């Protein structure tokens, strides 16, 4: 158990809908990263937050947005969902640049 | 641009050594290594910053040659628990900011 929690574990929704994925980092970790893993595209970095501020951005679509709240939990919002958005979404938290701890992931299925 | 990993897959017997390579066409700031077992989340192994450092943890070590824009992961005296898919992630900076991209992965199978 990495200490990072993600909810929900599974999510099934229809095209065009909007969902929110939640991540609670390990106690004391200020950085949160979001990743997408699909069979087609492999593992992709989406975005990083550090203490509430956006730190780095990867291949995150405009339909996706994220934020980190004062209590350091983070949410990833996915809107106007398409079939291709079906994937595993991981978050990871980090106390520093030297290590990252991954949560168990949220499996999103868009039908 | 996605880094290239080689080999795509490797099968070992317990106790054998393996090397996984990761190369990029870009000037890199850092390289990260992860291992992911089937059905599980990736596990962060190590990060190497530019400067040509080498890091190690027990029998897994890595090197980063920034001139050649490549990193290698060394698995020594492999154990059954080393089986999984290994990903490298490369970090570079350009006029638009930071880029972080994962390689396609190398599937490692360690047999008894």
């Amino acid at each position: 158990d990495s200490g990072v929690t993600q909810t929900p574990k599974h999510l099934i929704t229809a095209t065009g809908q909007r969902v929110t994925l939640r991540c609670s980092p390990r106690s004391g970790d200020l950085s949160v990263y979001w990743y997408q893993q699909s069979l087609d595209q492999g593992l992709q970095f989406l975005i990083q937050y550090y203490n509430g501020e956006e730190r780095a951005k990867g291949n995150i679509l405009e339909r996706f947005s994220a934020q980190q709240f004062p209590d350091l939990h983070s949410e990833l919002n996915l809107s106007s969902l398409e079939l291709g958005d079906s994937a595993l979404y991981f978050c990871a938290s980090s106390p520093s640049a030297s290590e990252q701890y991954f949560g168990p992931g949220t499996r999103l299925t868009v039908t | 641009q996605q880094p290239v990993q080689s080999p795509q897959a490797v099968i070992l017997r317990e106790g054998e050594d393996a090397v996984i390579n990761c190369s990029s066409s870009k000037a890199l700031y850092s390289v990260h290594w992860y291992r992911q077992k089937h059905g599980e989340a990736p596990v962060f192994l190590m990060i190497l910053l530019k400067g040509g450092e080498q890091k190690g943890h027990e029998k897994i070590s890595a090197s980063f040659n920034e001139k050649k824009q490549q990193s290698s992961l060394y698995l020594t005296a492999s154990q059954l628990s080393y089986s999984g898919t290994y990903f490298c992630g490369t970090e570079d900076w350009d006029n638009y900011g930071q880029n972080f991209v994962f390689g396609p992965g190398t599937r490692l199978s360690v047999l008894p």
Side-chain angles (χ1 to χ4, degrees):
Chain A
D1 184 356
S2 66
V4 178
T5 60
Q6 288 187 249
T7 56
K9 198 167 182 175
H10 298 280
L11 199 49
I12 302 174
T13 190
T15 53
Q17 295 298 304
R18 173 189 167 95
V19 297
T20 298
L21 313 184
R22 182 187 169 107
C23 170
S24 293
R26 296 184 331 145
S27 176
D29 287 357
L30 298 179
S31 266
V32 170
Y33 302 76
W34 285 98
Y35 299 92
Q36 179 194 58
Q37 187 172 35
S38 63
L39 286 174
D40 295 347
Q41 306 266 1
L43 195 56
Q44 289 200 84
F45 165 65
L46 296 178
I47 198 164
Q48 178 203 357
Y49 279 84
Y50 178 83
N51 203 20
E53 300 287 328
E54 182 183 304
R55 175 64 68 92
K57 218 168 185 176
N59 294 326
I60 187 164
L61 300 171
E62 284 193 15
R63 299 183 286 108
F64 296 2
S65 64
Q67 52 184 324
Q68 186 179 28
F69 295 86
D71 67 353
L72 301 178
H73 91 272
S74 179
E75 292 181 358
L76 179 67
N77 300 296
L78 315 176
S79 62
S80 304
L81 284 168
E82 302 175 359
L83 295 177
D85 297 328
S86 295
L88 264 170
Y89 291 85
F90 291 105
C91 81
S93 76
S94 173
S96 67
S98 63
E99 53 198 307
Q100 294 184 36
Y101 297 88
F102 277 74
T106 292
R107 183 174 292 278
L108 174 66
T109 302
V110 182
T111 61
Chain B
Q1 192 169 352
Q2 189 179 47
V4 175
Q5 282 188 239
S6 63
Q8 283 185 316
V10 58
I11 300 175
L12 299 174
R13 291 281 177 192
E14 216 173 348
E16 292 181 338
D17 302 339
V19 180
I20 300 172
N21 299 302
C22 173
S23 62
S24 174
S25 60
K26 295 187 165 191
L28 300 176
Y29 178 77
S30 73
V31 179
H32 301 215
W33 284 98
Y34 301 81
R35 176 173 62 214
Q36 184 176 28
K37 293 182 182 286
H38 184 68
E40 298 180 10
V43 172
F44 179 77
L45 295 176
M46 62 189 81
I47 178 175
L48 298 105
L49 302 175
K50 70 174 185 177
E53 64 175 300
Q54 184 152 351
K55 275 195 169 181
H57 177 66
E58 296 180 349
K59 293 177 180 171
I60 300 177
S61 63
S63 63
F64 177 26
N65 186 324
E66 62 187 272
K67 266 190 180 175
K68 292 185 178 178
Q69 294 161 196
Q70 67 185 36
S71 176
S72 296
L73 186 72
Y74 307 93
L75 300 108
T76 307
S78 56
Q79 304 168 18
L80 295 176
S81 61
Y82 288 3
S83 293
T85 300
Y86 289 78
F87 295 95
C88 67
T90 57
E91 178 189 2
D92 68 270
W93 290 78
D94 60 22
N95 293 335
Y96 301 99
Q98 182 189 37
N99 302 300
F100 189 75
V101 186
F102 285 95
T106 294
R107 184 170 291 182
L108 178 75
S109 301
V110 181
L111 305 178

